[in-house]
């Protein structure tokens, strides 16, 4: 087989890493130096030169999108399908193992995944059930506590709560939570990882089987693995195995979720014979962008140390824009994108990155009104919308009757006369016998068992006569849906369930609260199912495949926003900085660069937290290939609150020589860091007749008076107080203002 397509597109160091002899290998290198490329070519190399078959490959990446891309590129390199390879995220692969070996893992066959919102809801219920004060035991904090323990591999029995009553109560909540999940047959995200780890740890022959199979275990973005993920990787690769891991300590951004950058050092200790490679040439960014990133990250301590250079040109300076407020910022970004587009750049080459999801809304509004297509990754994802979760809850119940979270969600949706009293009776009955709500309802409604436990009520007593009839109707509905949809193609199954549960009529009645949009979303769910490729999520040999409905439900729980817009539509890419990891774009905007927003308020006083934020900023800067715009607003309304911003200290850390400020700071509300560095430009009349106090007309906003003028040439902007629309900032060159005399 011709190996030149595998080795030719690599530099010497990359080639050395790709062709390294079997054995543990660590590639430690900075952003854009080709780590992911090396990993992909290593797989191709293993398949052609090291005698591996696709069956022997296990590759872990950070997102499902990255996994699909990786598979695609390997197949292209080799010109053959890579069917039996396992390529996925830690969560996806763990889920797969648990499905295949659910019995050994102690899970029911139809177990479901509990997403983070469902998890919080369940915890809230447990806090109430134990009659605890939920201002002291905040569901979010308890959730964090539980997930942290799981990430460290600690089960309730091993919690050392000591004598502190608070700790003891938390430990009790953890135990109650575990018991409920086990009974309902649901697993949360942290549980997926921990169970998959325990599965291999406790079943030596199974572990040996996988070790023999996966002779090549590869991990991308290794710096962001947590303890359990690393322990699991070691079990899969074995002590003498050949794990091939690539990472960058400067891009470790998930410490808050348990990631341990120390795993990079631990790896060298656990595999003392590991070969280490460093890559230093960056192929992604211009010289200025790279210099800015290098200067910024140099402020962090305890780095493993890397030197990145590029043979490309310096490129444009880093553009810094000081906006008046968040709308002005969005407007600015919008106009830059329009300009990029006008000059022949594609929209999909543009990324707008921000620190927190809530920042996307203002950009979405600006893009919508200018009809610029965009796609938001993450955020409120399609599968997290209430109506979608309602429909999925029905599907999950069809698949697993004991899923209490789903049961509770839809038992009275649409309303069918099952009130709070009936449900309370059912919960109590289920608790008493340690069974699921479904099991309790079915048992009691059938009058079983003859022998009651002390204090146990009959169905009529517990539910009330009307409640009992309604509950029976609900159980029959689910059984009927199950029977009627067996053997149907996935999208018909889903369509049938949506049509026959009464959800559509329920939302149709809802005239005010976006009922129509909700119905459209439900219809979208059917098309998502139609287009769903079960093989993409669950490739592998025949016996390893999941039933389509289960594969789809897992996809819905694990996937981010893929249902939203067509992946290949030419749209602006919007996402948080965290989500941007591993990706690259010719034009990048980093918005909301204000102290308190980025770095985030809760990290400012904590050195480790601040360094993590700085690494996040480094990730952001290094996503840019050709142009980078950084912006901040002097005034911002976020979460309904106004604040006055100070430019992020990270802007300060970029050497002034690399920066060009775009807007003159005419209206500095108060002194801000770095003011001296930026050269103000005097505003001048940008067009005849455009001056303070002039009356102007805008095609959309109507008539108004000019309040403010600033900038010059293509940067000139005016603030106009419109009679009906209030004050607005406009770019003069786009506004087409007409002077009214
Ligand atoms: P990150 O740290 O952001 O994940 P990375 O180290 O994984 O980055 P890649 O994404 O693999 O880097 O590569 C960055 C860019 O450089 C990609 O566009 C890739 O195709 C290109 N590239 C990598 N190596 C070479 C090479 N030897 N010749 C030409 N282009 C290369
Ligand atoms: Mg990468």
């Amino acid at each position: 087989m011709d190996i030149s397509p595998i080795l030719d597109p690599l530099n010497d160091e990359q080639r050395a890493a790709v062709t390294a002899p079997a054995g543990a290998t660590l590639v430690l290198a900075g952003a854009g130096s080709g780590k992911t490329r090396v990993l992909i070519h290593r797989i191709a190399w293993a398949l052609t030169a090291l005698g591996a078959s696709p069956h022997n490959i296990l590759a872990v990446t950070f997102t499902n999108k990255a996994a699909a891309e990786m598979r695609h590129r390997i197949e292209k390199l080799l010109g053959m399908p890579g069917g039996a390879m396992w390529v996925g995220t830690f969560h996806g692969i763990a889920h797969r193992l648990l499905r295949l070996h659910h019995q050994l893992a102690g899970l029911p066959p139809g177990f479901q995944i509990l997403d983070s919102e469902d998890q919080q809801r369940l915890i809230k219920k447990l806090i109430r059930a134990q009659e605890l004060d939920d201002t002291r035991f905040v569901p979010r904090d308890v959730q964090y506590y539980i997930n942290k323990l799981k990430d460290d591999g600690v089960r309730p029995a091993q919690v050392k709560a000591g004598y502190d009553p608070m700790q003891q109560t938390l430990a009790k909540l953890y135990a109650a939570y575990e018991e409920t999940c086990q009974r309902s047959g649901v697993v949360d995200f942290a549980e997926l990882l921990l169970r998959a780890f325990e599965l291999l740890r406790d079943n030596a022959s199974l572990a040996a089987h996988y070790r023999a199979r996966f002779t090549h275990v590869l991990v991308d973005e290794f710096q962001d693995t947590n303890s359990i993920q690393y322990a699991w990787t070691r079990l899969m690769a074995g002590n003498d195995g050949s794990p091939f891991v690539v990472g960058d300590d400067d891009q470790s951004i998930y410490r808050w979720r348990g990631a341990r950058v120390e795993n990079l050092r631990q790896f060298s200790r656990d595999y003392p014979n590991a070969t280490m490679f460093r890559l230093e040439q960056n192929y992604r960014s211009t010289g200025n962008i790279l210099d800015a990133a290098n200067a910024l990250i140099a402020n962090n301590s305890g780095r493993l140390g890397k030197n990145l250079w590029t043979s490309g040109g310096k490129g444009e300076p880093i553009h810094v824009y000081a906006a008046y407020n968040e709308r002005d910022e969005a407007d600015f970004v919008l106009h830059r994108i329009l300009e990029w587009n006008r000059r022949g750049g594609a929209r999909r080459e543009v990324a707008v990155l921000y620190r927190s999801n809530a920042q996307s809304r203002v950009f979405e509004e600006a893009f919508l009104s200018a009809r610029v297509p965009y796609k938001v990754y993450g955020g409120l994802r399609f599968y997290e919308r209430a109506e979608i979760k309602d429909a999925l809850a029905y599907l999950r119940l069809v698949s697993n009757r004991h899923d209490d979270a789903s049961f509770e969600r839809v038992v009275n949706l649409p309303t069918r006369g099952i009130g709070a009293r009936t449900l309370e009776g059912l919960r109590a009955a289920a608790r008493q016998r340690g069974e699921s709500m479904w099991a309790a309802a079915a048992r009691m409604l059938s009058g079983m068992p003859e022998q009651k436990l002390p204090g146990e009520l009959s169905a009529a007593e517990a539910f009330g006569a009307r409640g009992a009839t309604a509950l029976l109707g609900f159980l029959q509905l689910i059984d009927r849906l199950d029977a009627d949809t067996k053997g149907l193609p996935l999208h018909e199954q889903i369509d049938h369930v949506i049509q026959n549960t009464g959800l559509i009529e329920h939302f149709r009645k809802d005239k005010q609260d976006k009922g129509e949009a909700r119905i459209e979303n439900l219809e979208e769910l059917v098309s998502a199912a139609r287009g769903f490729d079960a093989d993409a999520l669950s490739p592998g040999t025949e016996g390893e495949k999941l039933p389509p409905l289960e594969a789809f439900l897992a996809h819905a729980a694990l996937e981010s926003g893929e249902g939203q817009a067509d992946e290949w539509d030419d749209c602006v890419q919007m996402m948080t900085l965290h989500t941007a990891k591993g990706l690259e774009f010719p034009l990048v905007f980093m918005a909301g660069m204000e102290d308190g927003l980025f770095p985030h308020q809760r990290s400012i006083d904590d050195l480790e937290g601040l360094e993590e934020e700085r690494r996040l900023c480094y990730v952001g800067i290094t996503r840019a290939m050709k142009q980078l715009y950084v912006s901040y607003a002097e005034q911002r309304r976020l979460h309904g609150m106004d604040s006055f911003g100070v430019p992020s200290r990270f802007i300060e850390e970029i050497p002034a020589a690399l920066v060009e400020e775009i807007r003159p700071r005419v209206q500095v509300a108060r002194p801000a860091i770095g003011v001296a560095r930026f050269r103000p430009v005097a505003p001048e009349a940008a067009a005849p007749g455009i001056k303070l106090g002039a009356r102007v007309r805008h095609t959309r906003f109507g008539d108004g008076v000019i309040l403010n003028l600033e900038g010059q040439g293509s940067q000139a902007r005016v603030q106009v107080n419109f009679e009906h629309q209030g004050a607005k900032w406009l770019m003069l060159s786009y506004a087409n203002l007409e002077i009214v005399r």
Side-chain angles (χ1 to χ4, degrees), residues 10-11 14 17-18 26-43 70 73 218-223 244-251 264 277-284 306 308 581-582 618 622-623:
L10 303 173
N11 66 29
Q14 292 173 333
V18 165
L26 168 63
V27 180
L28 177 67
S33 59
K35 293 182 298 299
T36 302
R37 178 182 279 220
V38 162
L39 192 108
I40 289 169
H41 285 243
R42 171 71 173 184
I43 296 175
M70 187 172 281
R73 282 168 66 183
L218 305 97
V219 183
D220 198 359
E221 309 275 5
F222 182 72
Q223 75 280 358
F244 189 99
V245 307
V246 311
D248 175 6
D249 57 315
D250 289 333
Q251 294 187 69
L264 279 168
F277 295 92
R278 287 178 182 267
L279 312 174
E280 303 204 316
Q281 183 169 2
N282 172 295
Y283 289 93
R284 179 180 291 148
K306 277 177 285 0
L308 271 183
K581 194 162 89 147
Y618 175 79
T622 54
R623 297 312 95 198

Side-chain angles (χ1 to χ4, degrees), residues 238-259:
N239 280 338
D240 332 303
S242 354
F244 189 99
V245 307
V246 311
D248 175 6
D249 57 315
D250 289 333
Q251 294 187 69
S252 160
I253 53 176
Y254 282 98
R255 191 179 65 107
W256 55 285
R257 254 179 21 191

Side-chain angles (χ1 to χ4, degrees), residues 63-85:
T63 59
N64 283 327
K65 191 168 145 117
E69 167 87 18
M70 187 172 281
R71 177 179 292 279
H72 174 74
R73 282 168 66 183
I74 296 164
E75 290 176 349
K76 223 172 108 195
L77 266 180
L78 296 177
M80 67 176 204
M85 282 190 304

Side-chain angles (χ1 to χ4, degrees), residues 662-679:
I662 295 171
R663 187 175 75 79
R665 301 175 55 89
V666 176
Q667 266 208 342
V668 182
R670 55 186 180 143
I673 304 173
V675 172
R677 243 167 10 122
F678 302 131
R679 291 176 309 277

